[in-house]
Amino acid sequence: MARGALFIAIEGPNGVGKSTASTLLAERLRAGGMRVHVTSEPSDTPLGRLVRTGEAGLVGRALALAVAADRYHHMDTEIVPALMDGLTVISDRYVQSSLVLQRIDGLEIEEIWQYNAHVLRPSLSCYLHHTAQELAQRLAQRTRRSRLERVGSPQRELDLYQDAYQFLLARHWPQALVNCQEVSPDRVAAELALLVARTAQRQEGAR
Ligand SMILES: Nc1ncnc2c1ncn2[C@@H]1O[C@H](COP(=O)(O)OP(=O)(O)O)[C@@H](O)[C@H]1O
Ligand SMILES: Cc1cn([C@H]2C[C@H](O)[C@@H](COP(=O)(O)OP(=O)(O)O)O2)c(=O)[nH]c1=O
């Protein structure tokens, strides 16, 4: 990773505002002079697109392994090269998403963790949190829902995200919890930008 480059994961349940926050955070960081690359998982590659479009029929362990394979490929071909180039990378979804979505699909958390054992640890994984009621309202407005969105529920997702947060905390994964209740998209992005600045300071101090 080049000096000053950070790897930021944006995590949280469906509809919490991950893609909105990723875009607004990138705008803020760029305005502050940082070079930023925004990406998401599943990745924008043939394998990532296969996961996205095949998720209805690709189930359980097969989906977990396909998602993990996509993550390693994403890391090798996009995330690490961008970091080496000095860019800060923001990924909309990363490991915490798998620790939740693959559990909804029937896997145990330890097995999912094993499939992700060799991924790059982010500089900071930001978990966006909201209430189940608000998430349900936002999802009701969507015309298309994925199989896992239909099988799970906002409350189950929130419970599993909480579990995943604790699981990652016990493994010293750098994390922050961002409460989005009654917080505008701009303020969420401002809080994330502050967390990124603190992470940059910590990383610089550790050199
Ligand atoms: N902080 C916020 N306050 C109110 N609405 C929000 C906020 N963040 C996102 N939204 C809205 O919620 C919906 C879901 O946001 P999105 O970024 O697509 O979520 P995700 O990527 O987590 O599924 C969108 O309609 C978006 O405009
Ligand atoms: C990132 C990720 C995605 N997926 C699968 C399930 C999701 O329904 C599907 C698409 O991800 P999703 O984030 O819902 O895509 P979109 O950007 O279209 O909202 O990928 C997993 O099962 N585990 C993961 O860790």
PDB file of all heavy atoms in Angstrom, residues 12-21 92 130 134 138 141-142 180 183-185 188, ligand 1:
ATOM      1  N   GLY A  12     -23.210  -2.587   5.892  1.00  0.00           N
ATOM      2  CA  GLY A  12     -24.506  -2.364   6.539  1.00  0.00           C
ATOM      3  C   GLY A  12     -25.620  -3.034   5.765  1.00  0.00           C
ATOM      4  O   GLY A  12     -25.424  -3.467   4.621  1.00  0.00           O
ATOM      5  N   PRO A  13     -26.804  -3.118   6.375  1.00  0.00           N
ATOM      6  CA  PRO A  13     -27.919  -3.838   5.750  1.00  0.00           C
ATOM      7  C   PRO A  13     -28.413  -3.186   4.456  1.00  0.00           C
ATOM      8  O   PRO A  13     -28.146  -2.017   4.198  1.00  0.00           O
ATOM      9  CB  PRO A  13     -29.013  -3.810   6.828  1.00  0.00           C
ATOM     10  CG  PRO A  13     -28.618  -2.731   7.766  1.00  0.00           C
ATOM     11  CD  PRO A  13     -27.138  -2.595   7.691  1.00  0.00           C
ATOM     12  N   ASN A  14     -29.141  -3.961   3.672  1.00  0.00           N
ATOM     13  CA  ASN A  14     -29.734  -3.463   2.436  1.00  0.00           C
ATOM     14  C   ASN A  14     -30.563  -2.224   2.714  1.00  0.00           C
ATOM     15  O   ASN A  14     -31.395  -2.227   3.625  1.00  0.00           O
ATOM     16  CB  ASN A  14     -30.650  -4.543   1.835  1.00  0.00           C
ATOM     17  CG  ASN A  14     -29.862  -5.617   1.130  1.00  0.00           C
ATOM     18  OD1 ASN A  14     -29.077  -5.327   0.227  1.00  0.00           O
ATOM     19  ND2 ASN A  14     -30.044  -6.863   1.561  1.00  0.00           N
ATOM     20  N   GLY A  15     -30.324  -1.176   1.957  1.00  0.00           N
ATOM     21  CA  GLY A  15     -31.122   0.045   2.069  1.00  0.00           C
ATOM     22  C   GLY A  15     -30.640   1.022   3.115  1.00  0.00           C
ATOM     23  O   GLY A  15     -31.213   2.100   3.276  1.00  0.00           O
ATOM     24  N   VAL A  16     -29.555   0.714   3.833  1.00  0.00           N
ATOM     25  CA  VAL A  16     -29.104   1.606   4.914  1.00  0.00           C
ATOM     26  C   VAL A  16     -28.459   2.893   4.368  1.00  0.00           C
ATOM     27  O   VAL A  16     -28.385   3.906   5.066  1.00  0.00           O
ATOM     28  CB  VAL A  16     -28.150   0.869   5.879  1.00  0.00           C
ATOM     29  CG1 VAL A  16     -26.761   0.689   5.280  1.00  0.00           C
ATOM     30  CG2 VAL A  16     -28.057   1.586   7.220  1.00  0.00           C
ATOM     31  N   GLY A  17     -27.981   2.794   3.091  1.00  0.00           N
ATOM     32  CA  GLY A  17     -27.374   3.985   2.480  1.00  0.00           C
ATOM     33  C   GLY A  17     -25.902   3.820   2.136  1.00  0.00           C
ATOM     34  O   GLY A  17     -25.176   4.809   2.022  1.00  0.00           O
ATOM     35  N   LYS A  18     -25.468   2.572   1.914  1.00  0.00           N
ATOM     36  CA  LYS A  18     -24.050   2.315   1.608  1.00  0.00           C
ATOM     37  C   LYS A  18     -23.594   2.990   0.321  1.00  0.00           C
ATOM     38  O   LYS A  18     -22.565   3.648   0.298  1.00  0.00           O
ATOM     39  CB  LYS A  18     -23.771   0.801   1.486  1.00  0.00           C
ATOM     40  CG  LYS A  18     -23.954   0.014   2.762  1.00  0.00           C
ATOM     41  CD  LYS A  18     -23.669  -1.457   2.555  1.00  0.00           C
ATOM     42  CE  LYS A  18     -24.629  -2.145   1.604  1.00  0.00           C
ATOM     43  NZ  LYS A  18     -26.042  -2.120   2.012  1.00  0.00           N
ATOM     44  N   SER A  19     -24.387   2.814  -0.756  1.00  0.00           N
ATOM     45  CA  SER A  19     -23.898   3.375  -2.027  1.00  0.00           C
ATOM     46  C   SER A  19     -23.978   4.896  -2.007  1.00  0.00           C
ATOM     47  O   SER A  19     -23.083   5.579  -2.517  1.00  0.00           O
ATOM     48  CB  SER A  19     -24.605   2.759  -3.238  1.00  0.00           C
ATOM     49  OG  SER A  19     -25.962   2.981  -3.170  1.00  0.00           O
ATOM     50  N   THR A  20     -25.026   5.449  -1.362  1.00  0.00           N
ATOM     51  CA  THR A  20     -25.134   6.911  -1.220  1.00  0.00           C
ATOM     52  C   THR A  20     -23.928   7.427  -0.437  1.00  0.00           C
ATOM     53  O   THR A  20     -23.265   8.391  -0.850  1.00  0.00           O
ATOM     54  CB  THR A  20     -26.436   7.273  -0.448  1.00  0.00           C
ATOM     55  OG1 THR A  20     -27.531   6.647  -1.108  1.00  0.00           O
ATOM     56  CG2 THR A  20     -26.646   8.766  -0.351  1.00  0.00           C
ATOM     57  N   ALA A  21     -23.628   6.780   0.692  1.00  0.00           N
ATOM     58  CA  ALA A  21     -22.521   7.230   1.553  1.00  0.00           C
ATOM     59  C   ALA A  21     -21.174   7.085   0.842  1.00  0.00           C
ATOM     60  O   ALA A  21     -20.307   7.956   0.973  1.00  0.00           O
ATOM     61  CB  ALA A  21     -22.525   6.430   2.854  1.00  0.00           C
ATOM     62  N   ASP A  92     -17.977  -0.466  -1.422  1.00  0.00           N
ATOM     63  CA  ASP A  92     -19.369  -0.620  -0.988  1.00  0.00           C
ATOM     64  C   ASP A  92     -19.596  -2.125  -0.835  1.00  0.00           C
ATOM     65  O   ASP A  92     -19.769  -2.816  -1.827  1.00  0.00           O
ATOM     66  CB  ASP A  92     -20.257   0.008  -2.075  1.00  0.00           C
ATOM     67  CG  ASP A  92     -21.749  -0.199  -1.866  1.00  0.00           C
ATOM     68  OD1 ASP A  92     -22.144  -0.961  -0.964  1.00  0.00           O
ATOM     69  OD2 ASP A  92     -22.529   0.402  -2.634  1.00  0.00           O
ATOM     70  N   HIS A 130     -29.139   1.426  11.080  1.00  0.00           N
ATOM     71  CA  HIS A 130     -30.426   2.141  11.115  1.00  0.00           C
ATOM     72  C   HIS A 130     -31.472   1.228  11.752  1.00  0.00           C
ATOM     73  O   HIS A 130     -31.151   0.096  12.120  1.00  0.00           O
ATOM     74  CB  HIS A 130     -30.835   2.540   9.680  1.00  0.00           C
ATOM     75  CG  HIS A 130     -31.594   3.826   9.628  1.00  0.00           C
ATOM     76  ND1 HIS A 130     -32.728   4.046  10.360  1.00  0.00           N
ATOM     77  CD2 HIS A 130     -31.367   4.968   8.944  1.00  0.00           C
ATOM     78  CE1 HIS A 130     -33.164   5.271  10.128  1.00  0.00           C
ATOM     79  NE2 HIS A 130     -32.356   5.868   9.267  1.00  0.00           N
ATOM     80  N   GLU A 134     -37.250   1.615   9.351  1.00  0.00           N
ATOM     81  CA  GLU A 134     -36.845   2.482   8.242  1.00  0.00           C
ATOM     82  C   GLU A 134     -36.310   1.650   7.077  1.00  0.00           C
ATOM     83  O   GLU A 134     -36.620   1.922   5.910  1.00  0.00           O
ATOM     84  CB  GLU A 134     -35.788   3.487   8.730  1.00  0.00           C
ATOM     85  CG  GLU A 134     -35.198   4.365   7.644  1.00  0.00           C
ATOM     86  CD  GLU A 134     -36.179   5.344   7.001  1.00  0.00           C
ATOM     87  OE1 GLU A 134     -37.229   5.623   7.608  1.00  0.00           O
ATOM     88  OE2 GLU A 134     -35.867   5.829   5.887  1.00  0.00           O
ATOM     89  N   ARG A 138     -37.713   1.524   3.184  1.00  0.00           N
ATOM     90  CA  ARG A 138     -36.882   1.788   1.994  1.00  0.00           C
ATOM     91  C   ARG A 138     -36.926   0.618   1.026  1.00  0.00           C
ATOM     92  O   ARG A 138     -37.011   0.797  -0.182  1.00  0.00           O
ATOM     93  CB  ARG A 138     -35.436   2.076   2.406  1.00  0.00           C
ATOM     94  CG  ARG A 138     -35.303   3.417   3.100  1.00  0.00           C
ATOM     95  CD  ARG A 138     -33.854   3.760   3.337  1.00  0.00           C
ATOM     96  NE  ARG A 138     -33.737   4.914   4.219  1.00  0.00           N
ATOM     97  CZ  ARG A 138     -32.607   5.342   4.746  1.00  0.00           C
ATOM     98  NH1 ARG A 138     -31.486   4.709   4.491  1.00  0.00           N
ATOM     99  NH2 ARG A 138     -32.579   6.395   5.529  1.00  0.00           N
ATOM    100  N   GLN A 141     -39.885   0.228  -1.287  1.00  0.00           N
ATOM    101  CA  GLN A 141     -39.922   1.100  -2.462  1.00  0.00           C
ATOM    102  C   GLN A 141     -39.152   0.527  -3.648  1.00  0.00           C
ATOM    103  O   GLN A 141     -39.205   1.065  -4.742  1.00  0.00           O
ATOM    104  CB  GLN A 141     -39.342   2.475  -2.097  1.00  0.00           C
ATOM    105  CG  GLN A 141     -40.330   3.294  -1.273  1.00  0.00           C
ATOM    106  CD  GLN A 141     -39.665   4.443  -0.555  1.00  0.00           C
ATOM    107  OE1 GLN A 141     -38.541   4.805  -0.862  1.00  0.00           O
ATOM    108  NE2 GLN A 141     -40.366   5.017   0.410  1.00  0.00           N
ATOM    109  N   ARG A 142     -38.421  -0.552  -3.415  1.00  0.00           N
ATOM    110  CA  ARG A 142     -37.622  -1.129  -4.508  1.00  0.00           C
ATOM    111  C   ARG A 142     -38.483  -2.049  -5.356  1.00  0.00           C
ATOM    112  O   ARG A 142     -39.273  -2.829  -4.832  1.00  0.00           O
ATOM    113  CB  ARG A 142     -36.423  -1.912  -3.955  1.00  0.00           C
ATOM    114  CG  ARG A 142     -35.395  -0.979  -3.350  1.00  0.00           C
ATOM    115  CD  ARG A 142     -34.103  -1.684  -3.044  1.00  0.00           C
ATOM    116  NE  ARG A 142     -33.121  -0.694  -2.622  1.00  0.00           N
ATOM    117  CZ  ARG A 142     -31.966  -0.972  -2.038  1.00  0.00           C
ATOM    118  NH1 ARG A 142     -31.641  -2.225  -1.824  1.00  0.00           N
ATOM    119  NH2 ARG A 142     -31.134  -0.022  -1.696  1.00  0.00           N
ATOM    120  N   CYS A 180     -27.074   5.948  11.541  1.00  0.00           N
ATOM    121  CA  CYS A 180     -27.644   6.801  10.484  1.00  0.00           C
ATOM    122  C   CYS A 180     -29.066   7.276  10.805  1.00  0.00           C
ATOM    123  O   CYS A 180     -29.696   7.942   9.981  1.00  0.00           O
ATOM    124  CB  CYS A 180     -27.650   6.050   9.159  1.00  0.00           C
ATOM    125  SG  CYS A 180     -26.007   5.558   8.628  1.00  0.00           S
ATOM    126  N   VAL A 183     -30.129  11.049  10.483  1.00  0.00           N
ATOM    127  CA  VAL A 183     -28.909  11.734  10.036  1.00  0.00           C
ATOM    128  C   VAL A 183     -28.961  11.852   8.516  1.00  0.00           C
ATOM    129  O   VAL A 183     -29.164  10.845   7.817  1.00  0.00           O
ATOM    130  CB  VAL A 183     -27.637  10.947  10.468  1.00  0.00           C
ATOM    131  CG1 VAL A 183     -26.384  11.740  10.115  1.00  0.00           C
ATOM    132  CG2 VAL A 183     -27.659  10.645  11.953  1.00  0.00           C
ATOM    133  N   SER A 184     -28.798  13.055   7.998  1.00  0.00           N
ATOM    134  CA  SER A 184     -28.897  13.278   6.552  1.00  0.00           C
ATOM    135  C   SER A 184     -27.716  12.598   5.849  1.00  0.00           C
ATOM    136  O   SER A 184     -26.660  12.379   6.472  1.00  0.00           O
ATOM    137  CB  SER A 184     -28.861  14.776   6.257  1.00  0.00           C
ATOM    138  OG  SER A 184     -27.566  15.262   6.499  1.00  0.00           O
ATOM    139  N   PRO A 185     -27.862  12.286   4.541  1.00  0.00           N
ATOM    140  CA  PRO A 185     -26.753  11.669   3.811  1.00  0.00           C
ATOM    141  C   PRO A 185     -25.466  12.488   3.913  1.00  0.00           C
ATOM    142  O   PRO A 185     -24.377  11.921   4.073  1.00  0.00           O
ATOM    143  CB  PRO A 185     -27.266  11.631   2.362  1.00  0.00           C
ATOM    144  CG  PRO A 185     -28.754  11.546   2.504  1.00  0.00           C
ATOM    145  CD  PRO A 185     -29.092  12.353   3.725  1.00  0.00           C
ATOM    146  N   VAL A 188     -23.891  11.907   7.307  1.00  0.00           N
ATOM    147  CA  VAL A 188     -23.278  10.565   7.367  1.00  0.00           C
ATOM    148  C   VAL A 188     -21.905  10.630   6.690  1.00  0.00           C
ATOM    149  O   VAL A 188     -20.905  10.162   7.240  1.00  0.00           O
ATOM    150  CB  VAL A 188     -24.174   9.499   6.669  1.00  0.00           C
ATOM    151  CG1 VAL A 188     -23.428   8.175   6.538  1.00  0.00           C
ATOM    152  CG2 VAL A 188     -25.475   9.302   7.443  1.00  0.00           C
TER     153      VAL A 188
HETATM  154  N1  LIG B   1     -28.809   9.239   5.477  1.00  0.00           N
HETATM  155  C1  LIG B   1     -29.909   9.028   4.730  1.00  0.00           C
HETATM  156  N2  LIG B   1     -31.092   9.595   5.089  1.00  0.00           N
HETATM  157  C2  LIG B   1     -32.204   9.383   4.353  1.00  0.00           C
HETATM  158  N3  LIG B   1     -32.257   8.620   3.230  1.00  0.00           N
HETATM  159  C3  LIG B   1     -31.124   8.033   2.829  1.00  0.00           C
HETATM  160  C4  LIG B   1     -29.884   8.188   3.549  1.00  0.00           C
HETATM  161  N4  LIG B   1     -28.932   7.489   2.907  1.00  0.00           N
HETATM  162  C5  LIG B   1     -29.534   6.906   1.850  1.00  0.00           C
HETATM  163  N5  LIG B   1     -30.840   7.228   1.782  1.00  0.00           N
HETATM  164  C6  LIG B   1     -31.832   6.752   0.814  1.00  0.00           C
HETATM  165  O1  LIG B   1     -32.093   5.379   1.131  1.00  0.00           O
HETATM  166  C7  LIG B   1     -32.224   4.597  -0.053  1.00  0.00           C
HETATM  167  C8  LIG B   1     -31.199   3.451  -0.031  1.00  0.00           C
HETATM  168  O2  LIG B   1     -29.889   4.001  -0.145  1.00  0.00           O
HETATM  169  P1  LIG B   1     -28.702   3.183  -0.843  1.00  0.00           P
HETATM  170  O3  LIG B   1     -27.500   4.068  -0.788  1.00  0.00           O
HETATM  171  O4  LIG B   1     -29.115   2.656  -2.183  1.00  0.00           O
HETATM  172  O5  LIG B   1     -28.558   1.959   0.184  1.00  0.00           O
HETATM  173  P2  LIG B   1     -27.704   0.601   0.091  1.00  0.00           P
HETATM  174  O6  LIG B   1     -26.587   0.851  -0.884  1.00  0.00           O
HETATM  175  O7  LIG B   1     -27.201   0.405   1.491  1.00  0.00           O
HETATM  176  O8  LIG B   1     -28.656  -0.482  -0.315  1.00  0.00           O
HETATM  177  C9  LIG B   1     -32.057   5.568  -1.229  1.00  0.00           C
HETATM  178  O9  LIG B   1     -33.338   5.971  -1.646  1.00  0.00           O
HETATM  179  C10 LIG B   1     -31.296   6.738  -0.619  1.00  0.00           C
HETATM  180  O10 LIG B   1     -31.573   7.958  -1.280  1.00  0.00           O
END
